[in-house]
Amino acid sequence: MKIFLDTADVEKIGKYAAMGLVDGITTNPTIILKSGRRQEEAIKEICKLVDGPVSVEGVEEKEAGMVKDGVKFSSWAKNVVVKLPMTEEGLKAVRALSKKGIRTNVTLVFSPTQALLAAKAGATYVSPFVGRLDDVADDGMELVRKIREIFVNYGYKTQIIAASVRSPLHVAQSALCGCDIATVPPDVMEKMFCHGFTDAGIRKFKEDYEAAGKR
Ligand code: G3P
């Protein structure tokens, strides 16, 4: 499974990219706000750090504005992917941009039928929001499994990005159900490295190594 980082924090991106762990980046207006940077400047820097797709999102609500934005975003770097909301206008923009050879990521997906429509419109990626469904006592991962089943049933090439990931469990569940990509916030990425038994095991081996050296 590919791992994208759901962040515009260039220090974190650089750190994990140097380890070979980053297959792409997703951003949204909230993430850009948190970065404290201007969108264009941040995206251009991120695109230099990561070869994989970098999703960029605007706030236009009509097809014409979305397409204009999409063309502008994709002029910033060759690996930019245009993120569009799951609306009728958003899907019109998906179609228009894909005709221009521009890749798209349909975001704010909360149902299997939304994902089906996005795939039919020609989206490169769909982003079901797992955590936000869990937040309202729905089952976010179940949505990912359903979308995967639909895409496999009919051979859609659209890739599924598990988004709104809140824990390493979401990442593991995504990988287990054959989801193409999980987009992971840096705090979740940090937790993915850790296990208390690993730390305890290292401590014990060190103690035993030192004790053996005293023989
Ligand atoms: O990139 C979109 C998505 O990952 C947002 O996550 O935590 O704001 O629901 P969250």
Side-chain angles (χ1 to χ4, degrees), residues 5-7 26-31 34 55 57 83 105 107-108 110 127-133 135 161-166 183-185:
L5 283 182
D6 200 23
T7 186
T26 50
T27 65
N28 61 34
T30 309
I31 285 170
K34 272 190 210 152
S55 284
E57 186 169 352
K83 223 173 176 188
N105 173 1
T107 190
L108 294 161
F110 293 95
S127 292
F129 274 35
V130 174
R132 291 193 196 182
L133 281 172
D135 289 345
I161 304 178
S164 185
V165 161
R166 301 277 164 79
T183 189
V184 182

Side-chain angles (χ1 to χ4, degrees), residues 93-104:
V94 164
R95 196 159 175 76
L97 289 169
S98 69
K99 280 185 185 155
K100 294 178 188 288
I102 295 173
R103 292 177 295 169
T104 56

